[in-house]
Each structure stands twice: as structure tokens, then as C-alpha cells.
Amino acid sequence: MQANVHSNGEGSGEPDRHRGAEDTLGAGHVVRLDLGSRDSERASRLWWDADADDYHRTHAGFLGVDAEDGDFLWCPEGLREADAQLLGPTASLAGMRILEVGCGSAPCARWLAAQGADVVALDLSMAMLRRGAQSMADGRRVPLIQAGAERLPVRAHSFDAVCSSFGAVPFVADSAGLMREAARALRPGGRWVFSVNHPMRWVFPDDPGPVGLTAAVPYFDRAPYVEVDDDGRPIYVEHHRTIGDRVREITAAGLVLEDIVEPEWPEHLEREWGQWSPLRGRLFPGTAIFCCRKPE
């Protein structure tokens, strides 16, 4: 899971969280501009390659990255696939062919493989994939592919399920095209399940404290959030889509939307993850999980 780390651009209260990326790429300056697929992909590759070490230093324990069989969390609220079973009953995963898009260091893919699934995982960032390969050095191995998500390098109708836990979808310019690609990869009856930052979070500053409770950005402002370096080079990007946009993207791809899961903040969870916090989580949702099916 590569959870969105910037959202609409306000500080998160964790000044050292991305020190490695900032040392490598320079401190980002926030702009709003129309960024296409090529520039978005380039920015995401730069950012996640530079931020991989800090990301794992901060989040690896929560995600189960170094656990023998990984773990599959859908969101910072801690919803696990083992409990939610959004891809189907856990016992039914054995023998399923599953593609993970935007896998990061692949803890989700490793967990699926431990359940007996035949898994392929891809990500844009070689640094993230390298971290995943290190985690699999002495255990179960999953094929890892470096690739962007707008053109999946897979055959049509070759997977029983496609999934993405905070990977790829918010970072690509053509998310409608990604929906079509997921549909193309699926066999009839297959499932496409992905989690993203809840679209309403776009309205609020990216801050886990009281500042993050004040509406600041129009919900219908779809201009991407972009950070550029001192030379104006994009080094980070997120693309906003409303709930309605997502529904239209899904249905236009020929998929059936079966559910939108909005995980509630668990009473026991006191940790913060960037903009996610108990304060905000108890007032409004931080995650939306879209559960789709390809018709028979």
C-alpha cells in the first residue's frame, strides 16, 4: 500500500517523514497545473524511488512488509483483506490468478500468495520493487514487474481478480484508462477492487490536527496537486476525482460497481499516518474502497 502522502498540500506535522526524497529531489513547491500521463508517470517514479527508504522506515511495521508472508491492508484505518474478504472468501483465493497494480514493496501480493493465489505484482518504482525483492529473499517469491498502470503489460482476460491498495489510481492522469485496463485484464466474472484517498478529503488540508478539519479546497476542483522542484520539474502529483467521477469511470469501462466501502476509524487505533489521525477519522472517512465486477 502506497498511501497518498500529500493530498492537497498542507503540512502533515511530520517534518522528517520525506527527508530522503527532499534531499534527493529538493523541497517541493506546490502548484496546480494540468499534468498529462507522461509527466505524471515521470513525477511518480522520481518521488517513490527517492522516498522508498523513508516510507518503509515509517510504515513497514504497520504494513507487515517484513513479516514472513506479508500482510494485506486496504487502508491506514487498518482494514485487512483477511477480515473484509473483498476479493472473496479467503479460502477461495487458492488457485486464483490475481494482479496487483501499484504494489509498492508487495506485502499484499505476498499475503495473497501465502493463501495459495497465483499472483503477479507491478509498480512504477524500481526502489519499491527492490525493497519487495529483499523481503522475499528467504521466503515465498512473487513475480514483480516494473511498469506503469495506464497500459498494463498483461494479456486480456488473464486474471480472476485485479486489486490495488492505494497504489496507482490517484497518481495516474488517465484513471478512466486504468479502469478500462483493469477490465481488459479480467476474465468474465472477475473482480476489480481498489482503495484510494476518500474524495472528500480533497476539501481539507493535509494535516492530522485541528487545521485539517477546515474546508479549504473546492471538492469540484479537479486540477491536480503537483509539487515542482526549483527548476519547475514536477516531482510529485496526485489527481483528484469525485465519487461521481469514479462511478462513471467504472461503468464506462463495462464494469459493475457492487459496493463502496468507507472504513470507520477503529476505536483502538491511536497511530497517525500522514493526514490520517484519530481526530479526523472519527469525524469523516479517509478511505474509499471501490468493489467492482466484470459481467459474465
Side-chain angles (χ1 to χ4, degrees):
M1 179 175 70
Q2 295 182 3
N4 304 33
V5 293
H6 293 249
S7 189
N8 59 16
E10 299 296 332
S12 68
E14 298 178 56
D16 296 328
R17 191 157 51 106
H18 309 298
R19 177 63 57 82
E22 291 174 354
D23 287 346
T24 301
L25 303 175
H29 308 287
V30 178
V31 297
R32 290 294 182 87
L33 52 84
D34 186 14
L35 212 61
S37 295
R38 179 179 297 180
D39 288 335
S40 293
E41 183 172 302
R42 181 176 180 275
S44 290
R45 183 184 294 110
L46 286 170
W47 176 264
W48 290 109
D49 277 349
D51 194 50
D53 288 343
D54 282 343
Y55 181 87
H56 285 92
R57 174 180 55 79
T58 306
H59 302 308
F62 181 70
L63 296 175
V65 169
D66 296 321
E68 181 177 358
D69 292 327
D71 201 356
F72 194 137
L73 280 86
W74 281 108
C75 52
E77 290 88 348
L79 182 68
R80 284 177 161 80
E81 173 60 17
D83 300 317
Q85 301 188 38
L86 301 181
L87 296 175
T90 301
S92 72
L93 297 176
M96 284 180 61
R97 185 158 172 77
I98 301 177
L99 173 66
E100 184 183 7
V101 179
C103 66
S105 55
C108 298
R110 290 166 52 216
W111 182 87
L112 290 167
Q115 313 313 309
D118 179 10
V119 188
V120 176
L122 64 84
D123 198 272
L124 189 64
S125 167
M126 180 55 72
M128 281 288 188
L129 294 175
R130 188 175 296 116
R131 184 64 172 78
Q134 291 170 357
S135 298
M136 294 186 285
D138 299 320
R140 183 178 286 103
R141 294 179 179 272
V142 170
L144 302 177
I145 300 172
Q146 184 184 23
E150 291 188 15
R151 293 186 178 181
L152 299 176
V154 299
R155 295 182 187 177
H157 317 305
S158 55
F159 291 92
D160 301 301
V162 180
C163 62
S164 185
S165 174
F166 272 87
V169 178
F171 305 110
V172 300
D174 186 10
S175 53
L178 173 50
M179 302 299 155
R180 292 192 297 271
E181 280 291 275
R184 180 184 65 83
L186 284 172
R187 294 170 179 149
R191 297 182 63 76
W192 163 226
V193 183
F194 65 95
S195 59
V196 294
N197 212 25
H198 197 289
M200 74 170 291
R201 283 289 178 104
W202 191 257
V203 175
F204 301 97
D206 186 4
D207 191 298
V211 172
L213 303 180
T214 304
V217 177
Y219 177 74
F220 297 104
D221 180 0
R222 296 173 178 83
Y225 167 81
V226 182
E227 291 183 12
V228 299
D229 63 15
D230 290 337
D231 296 323
R233 176 185 64 164
I235 57 174
Y236 184 89
V237 61
E238 286 183 31
H239 295 269
H240 169 58
R241 300 291 183 267
T242 68
I243 286 283
D245 291 338
R246 291 285 181 229
V247 172
R248 286 184 286 274
E249 289 177 347
I250 289 164
T251 57
L255 298 165
V256 176
L257 178 62
E258 295 188 326
D259 197 5
I260 302 175
V261 179
E262 299 166 297
E264 297 186 32
W265 191 268
E267 288 295 327
H268 68 274
L269 188 59
E270 294 299 326
R271 77 183 303 277
E272 292 183 357
W273 178 321
Q275 61 165 294
W276 283 265
S277 66
L279 174 65
R280 285 157 60 92
R282 289 166 186 156
L283 291 174
F284 49 81
T287 298
I289 308 174
F290 294 81
C291 304
C292 318
R293 175 178 52 81
K294 184 174 182 175
E296 297 281 357

